[in-house]
Amino acid sequence: GILALAVAPGFDANRFPNVPDERQRNRAVTDTYEPGSTFKVVTVAGALETGLITPSTRYTLPYQIQVADRKIHDAERRGTETMTVHDILTRSSNVGVVTIAEALGKDRISRWIDRFGFGHRTGVEFPGETKGIVLPADRWSGSTIGNVPIGQGIAVTPLQMVAAYGALANDGVWVQPHLVDRVGNQKAEEPKRRRILTTQTARMMRRMLRDVVEEGSGTAAQVPGYRIAGKTGTAAKPDERGGYSNYQYVASFVGFVPAKDPRLVILVTVDEPRGAIWGGVVAAPAFAEIAKFALQYLEVPPD
């Protein structure tokens, strides 16, 4: 199975006492961010697993819906459309995901967030790991179901997100991320594994995420000769007034390759990109470059 791995070097602060604190932490395990649309897989996978939907289930969706005191709309203005669940994920419809979330309900969504490992440390062998910020269901307001399912109002670490997508790549089995292969002549302790989705659900998610890259918002992540499965994300950053910034964003892309028989899970996050802000424009091309190099290095044959 795939072992989610953060690509970040260790750092010996005792050897370099004058180096600023910024250099002394592994951002993949210590820093949190609001993931935006990459988090939508939790709601969609949970609804698929419970039998509430299939990829071909259809919804009639307006451009904007009211959720308690908030108005939720899609990124691009459009008229009322009929979309399948497949369309909702590949086109990253906020209204579509929130509509599915409302049918699923806050208690089940909260359980799926927990099941995917958010709100918990992964247990990777690296100091300073944080568990993120996840609001329990009994503290949700009326509008929470309109923002958490689309990746707002929740904070995750990059490694948590990689591990979650690793579970989709591993046919529904979450694998504890780890760095240590052996200590001296002794093999390190085997990482923990737990099944969170059926193989069927994981493969349905993989097919839809593949189409995100082939025909949706993630086309810039394509690597010639390989099929990629992944998701873009663009999230406004919280500001000091308790709202969201109009000009500071986190752009991201997370995916795995080859899509049919994955060998690598890669996450790219760009903090406060300048010019373009969209994950599909800013982060997806970097994913493609990293994946291309890694696939050649590991001598993974084209699929």
Side-chain angles (χ1 to χ4, degrees):
I2 291 178
L3 303 179
L5 182 65
V7 183
F11 184 82
D12 186 350
N14 293 322
R15 289 180 59 199
F16 303 95
N18 296 320
V19 176
D21 290 344
E22 287 285 311
R23 294 280 302 277
Q24 296 179 20
R25 69 180 193 267
N26 180 348
R27 292 178 180 272
V29 300
T30 64
D31 289 17
T32 61
Y33 69 105
E34 294 200 7
S37 292
T38 57
F39 196 74
K40 290 174 178 175
V41 297
V42 175
T43 294
V44 175
L48 285 170
E49 185 77 358
T50 57
L52 183 68
I53 59 171
T54 70
S56 59
T57 301
R58 293 178 175 273
Y59 292 92
T60 300
L61 303 171
Y63 163 70
Q64 180 174 278
I65 57 173
Q66 186 82 32
V67 181
D69 60 344
R70 288 195 64 198
K71 290 182 178 179
I72 308 295
H73 58 78
D74 282 357
E76 296 182 5
R77 187 169 289 278
R78 58 172 177 80
T80 297
E81 291 186 43
T82 298
M83 295 188 199
T84 64
V85 171
H86 172 276
D87 297 332
I88 288 169
L89 193 60
T90 56
R91 294 175 58 181
S92 202
S93 170
N94 293 331
V95 172
V97 171
V98 172
T99 300
I100 295 170
E102 289 182 321
L104 196 57
K106 70 173 185 178
D107 290 326
R108 285 195 290 189
I109 292 173
S110 186
R111 287 195 294 270
W112 278 108
I113 291 170
D114 181 79
R115 196 166 178 176
F116 268 90
F118 297 106
H120 305 279
R121 295 178 180 88
T122 67
V124 69
E125 310 98 324
F126 204 94
E129 183 179 19
T130 55
K131 62 181 181 179
I133 303 171
V134 176
L135 202 64
D138 59 6
R139 292 181 57 194
W140 283 29
S141 68
S143 62
T144 304
I145 203 165
N147 64 302
V148 166
I150 60 176
Q152 294 181 336
I154 186 168
V156 307
T157 67
L159 194 60
Q160 286 174 334
M161 185 60 69
V162 170
Y165 274 74
L168 301 178
N170 281 325
D171 282 340
V173 177
W174 184 92
V175 180
Q176 179 186 23
H178 75 109
L179 296 169
V180 179
D181 180 59
R182 65 179 63 248
V183 179
N185 294 325
Q186 301 296 316
K187 284 288 289 181
E189 186 176 333
E190 278 293 309
K192 296 176 182 177
R193 300 167 185 261
R194 65 174 186 273
R195 178 165 291 282
I196 63 173
L197 297 168
T198 62
T199 298
Q200 181 183 14
T201 297
R203 290 182 177 177
M204 285 191 289
M205 290 296 299
R206 291 218 303 260
R207 284 193 292 271
M208 289 191 286
L209 291 171
R210 184 192 67 198
D211 289 343
V212 170
V213 177
E214 295 190 356
E215 59 190 59
S217 59
T219 55
Q222 293 177 5
V223 176
Y226 298 90
R227 279 187 159 174
I228 311 289
K231 186 75 185 71
T232 58
T234 307
K237 297 181 70 171
D239 62 25
E240 63 276 4
R241 300 185 305 274
Y244 284 89
S245 173
N246 293 320
Y247 58 91
Q248 292 180 326
Y249 295 85
V250 174
S252 63
F253 183 90
V254 56
F256 38 87
V257 60
K260 186 176 181 180
D261 185 19
R263 290 286 306 277
L264 295 165
V265 182
I266 301 168
L267 165 68
V268 176
T269 60
V270 182
D271 188 23
E272 299 185 16
R274 298 182 181 181
I277 63 168
W278 306 107
V281 176
V282 177
F287 172 98
E289 290 299 313
I290 295 167
K292 181 179 179 181
F293 173 84
L295 290 164
Q296 292 175 348
Y297 179 80
L298 295 173
E299 299 181 348
V300 178
D303 61 347

